[in-house]
Amino acid sequence: MTLLQIAEPGEAPAPHQHRLAVGIDLGTTNSLVATVRSGIPMVLPDEDGRPLLPSVVRYGDDGVTVGYPAQNAQAKDPQNTIVSVKRFMGRALSDLSDVRRFPYHYTDLPGMVQIETRAGRKSPVEISAEILKALRIRAESNLAGELEGAVVTVPAYFDDAQRQATRDAARLAGLNVLRLLNEPTAAAIAYGLDNASEGIYAVYDLGGGTFDLSILKLSRGVFEVLATAGDTALGGDDFDHRVYCWALETQGIGPVSPSDTRLLMMKAREAKENLTLHGSSTLMATLFSGETITATLTAETFTAITQTLVGKTLAPIKKALRDAKLATTDIKGVVMVGGATRMPQVQRAVAEFFGQPPLNNLDPDQVVALGAAIQANVLAGNRAPGEDWLLLDVIPLSLGLETMGGLTEKIISRNSTIPIARAQSFTTFKDGQTAMAIHVVQGERERVDDCRSLARFELHGIPPMVAGAARILVTFQVDADGLLSVTAREETTRVEAAITVKPSYGLSDAEIARMLEESHANAAADMTTRALLEARVDAERIIDATESALAADAELLAADERATLDEAVARLRHLVNEAGADRRALVEATEALNRASEAFAGRRMDRSVAQALTGLSIDTLR
Ligand code: AMP
C-alpha cells in the first residue's frame, strides 16, 4: 500500500528543479508575460523582441490571430476584431455602460455578454483565453519548457464574477493558475515593498483608457486593499485627443473625415510620446484630404492643454483617501503604473499632491507583470533558501507525502504564500492494488524518516487494475489560517478520502530553523540517498512488471530466452535486496533487464494488437 509518482518515461520526478512560472498582466489594451530568471524578474518578448502583446483578438477567414496582426486588421474588420475584452469579463450587457463604443453584435446571455463573430458566438472568457494562450506559448518558447503555473493579475476592484471569468480564461488557455493577484499589489511587489517596512502605500495607475488609484496596507508581509477609486474613461488616449484638437485648431483646420481623425490621433499619440522621450516634438501629417500639418508641440503647451486631465486624476485620489480615512501624510510611498505616468506633468502633480517623489524607476508598462512574476516564482517554490521564511503568510516547511522507497514528494514547497492548493497524480504500484496509504509529511529532507509526520490516512475502493493504470489525484490545500486538508481521489470511481491537519501546530520558530539547517547540511547526502532509493524503486517496478508478463504470456518465449530473462531478473533482485547496493550497479542491472525483455514486450504488444483487431470488420479498420 504505497504510492508511486507518475513521471514521463525515462524522466525521474525532480522536485528540486527550477520550476517555470510566469506572471501575466492581462491588460485592457496590452498584455505581458514575465518570469524570474536567475533571481531577476524580466518580461519575455515575442520573436521580434517586442515586450507587449496588444490585447486584440481577430476571428479572421483563416483562423484566429492575436496581438499586432489583429490590431492592424482592426480598421478593416472591426466587428470580428475584439479589443478591450477585459471590459466585458464577467459582465452582463446590462452591467455595461460603454458597449456602444464598440461595433460588436452582442448577445445577452445570463451572467455574461457574448459577442457574435465570424467564427460564431464567443464569450469574453474564450476571447481572453486566446490572449492568454498566445502569452503561454510565448513563455514556453522563451523558457524552453512547460509552465508549472502562472499568476494572473486583475484590477483590485474586480468582483468575484470578473475574477472567476479571468481564472476560467487562464484555465482554458492551458495555464495552471497559481493565484490571481491584484494589479496594484503586483506593482508594489515589483518595487520590493513587500520586503519594506510596514505601512500604507498608494498605487497610481494611468493607462491608455483607464485610471485606477489603490491604497494598500502592508502588514506582516501581506497586502490588503484599503480603498480603490478611479475613472474608467480617463487615460493616455484623452491626452492624445487634446493634442489632436490643438493641432487642428492651431492649423485652422475644420472637422475632418473619420479616416483623417484616426490618422491624426495616431500622430498625436506619437507626438505626445516623443515629447516625453525627447523634450520636444513635431506633429507632421498629410491628411487624406490633401492638407498637410506641421505643428511643433512644446512641453509648456502640452502641459497647458492637458492640465485639466491631470487635475481630473486627483479627485479619485481624494475619494480613496477619504474612504480609507487617511491623509496624504499617512502614505509611505507612491507607485507609478501605466504608460501614461511617463509624462512629466503627471509625475509632478503626483509628487506635489503626496509631498514626496513617486517610485518610478521601473518601466511603468511592465511593473505589474514583473510583480506577478515575482509572486509566481515564490508560489512555484523557487525562492532561495532562507528567504522570508518567518513571514506568517507563507508555509514555513514544505508539505508532501511519502512515495515508494520511503521518499518524500513535496506537493507544496515551503515559502509558498497561503492560501494555496496543489494537486498531483499518483498511481498504484502493484497489480490489483485496491487501497493506498497516504502519509502526509512536513520538511525539506529527502527521506520520510527525516521529516515530520503530520497525518496518515487510507484510500480504499480503488478498482483492481494493472499497476500504473489507476489515477489517484492527491490535493493539498492550505487555507488562509494555515489549515491543511489533503484529499485523495481515484479518478474513475471518484472514491475519495480526506483528512485535515494543522501543519504548523507545535512547531516553534527555533524548530523550523533547525529543520531547515539540517536539510541544508544534508542536502548532498540526501540527494545520493534519494538517487539510490529511486534506482531501487525503478528496479522493483521492472521486476514486478516482468514477472506479471511472464505469468501471462510465458509461451511467447523460447526456453533459452526465458532462461536469459530469469537470470536478469534474479541478478537485479539480488542487488535490490543487498544492503549496501551501489546505485550504478542497480541502474545497469535494470537496464540489462530492460534490454533482455525488449523482444518479449514487442511480441506481447503484437499479440494484444492482434487480439484487439480480431472480430473487427475491414470497414472498421479503414
Ligand atoms: P498602458 O495601458 O499602461 O500600456 O499605457 C498606454 C498609454 O501610455 C498610452 O496612452 C500611451 O500613449 C502612453 N504612453 C506610453 N509611452 C508614453 C510616453 N513616453 N509618454 C507619454 N505617454 C506614453
Side-chain angles (χ1 to χ4, degrees), residues 203-223:
V203 181
Y204 181 104
D205 180 351
L206 190 62
T210 54
F211 170 61
D212 294 308
L213 189 281
S214 315
I215 309 235
L216 307 178
K217 180 178 172 195
L218 172 69
S219 67
R220 296 189 303 189
V222 184
F223 285 103

Side-chain angles (χ1 to χ4, degrees), residues 29-30 52 205-209 235-237 240 269 272-277 302 337-343 364-365:
T29 33
N30 290 303
L52 299 181
D205 180 351
L206 190 62
D237 301 348
D240 305 347
R269 180 176 176 155
K272 171 192 77 174
E273 294 181 2
N274 282 335
L275 187 64
T276 308
L277 298 173
F302 185 51
V337 182
T341 60
R342 288 199 180 90
M343 291 182 284
D365 283 323

Side-chain angles (χ1 to χ4, degrees), residues 366-381:
Q366 300 192 352
V367 57
V368 168
L370 294 174
I374 295 170
Q375 183 80 352
N377 194 47
V378 174
L379 292 178

Side-chain angles (χ1 to χ4, degrees), residues 430-581:
K430 296 249 183 230
D431 286 349
Q433 183 179 336
T434 58
M436 227 177 215
I438 317 272
H439 182 197
V440 184
V441 296
Q442 179 179 45
E444 308 313 306
R445 302 285 299 274
E446 298 288 344
R447 282 167 46 87
V448 163
D449 294 347
D450 297 325
C451 290
R452 188 182 139 111
S453 169
L454 289 178
R456 288 174 189 274
F457 67 106
E458 289 178 2
L459 174 68
H460 293 274
I462 303 169
M465 295 182 223
V466 291
R471 252 183 86 80
I472 288 107
L473 192 71
V474 179
T475 308
F476 274 52
Q477 189 164 3
V478 183
D479 69 14
D481 300 325
L483 268 183
L484 166 72
S485 328
V486 182
T487 316
R489 191 177 68 203
E490 201 287 309
E491 294 288 62
T492 51
T493 53
R494 304 242 143 199
V495 289
E496 196 171 286
I499 199 161
T500 302
V501 267
K502 181 108 206 268
S504 56
Y505 177 78
L507 274 190
S508 67
D509 289 350
E511 268 178 293
I512 292 171
R514 179 184 55 75
M515 288 174 85
L516 286 176
E517 260 165 36
E518 273 176 16
S519 95
H520 297 148
N522 294 301
D526 275 7
M527 285 311 287
T528 316
T529 314
R530 183 177 187 102
L532 176 62
L533 288 172
E534 275 174 357
R536 198 171 252 145
V537 170
D538 280 347
E540 282 171 356
R541 183 165 37 195
I542 189 170
I543 292 173
D544 269 17
T546 312
E547 285 183 337
S548 36
L550 283 173
D553 293 318
E555 70 279 9
L556 291 175
L557 290 173
D560 58 332
E561 289 172 326
R562 172 71 196 247
T564 316
L565 205 52
D566 282 345
E567 197 189 304
V569 170
R571 207 182 112 60
L572 186 56
R573 191 194 305 283
H574 173 75
L575 282 172
V576 165
N577 294 334
E578 202 177 62

Side-chain angles (χ1 to χ4, degrees), residues 122-181:
K122 297 289 170 192
S123 115
V125 169
E126 282 171 276
I127 302 167
S128 300
E130 295 292 350
I131 301 168
L132 290 163
K133 198 164 91 189
L135 294 171
R136 174 175 63 78
I137 292 168
R138 178 190 290 195
E140 284 174 349
S141 78
N142 260 281
L143 302 173
E146 208 171 297
L147 298 183
E148 172 93 5
V151 166
V152 183
T153 59
V154 288
Y157 56 78
F158 256 27
D159 65 17
D160 270 357
Q162 291 168 301
R163 284 169 195 263
Q164 196 53 50
T166 308
R167 194 180 273 278
D168 290 346
R171 275 207 211 109
L172 198 59
L175 287 165
N176 169 30
V177 184
L178 298 169
R179 164 104 31 114
L180 294 180
L181 183 65

Side-chain angles (χ1 to χ4, degrees), residues 405-425:
L407 290 172
T408 52
E409 179 61 31
K410 286 173 192 155
I411 308 287
I412 298 183
S413 303
R414 78 184 193 87
N415 270 337
S416 298
T417 21
I418 53 176
I420 187 174
R422 280 292 172 81
Q424 205 154 309
S425 276

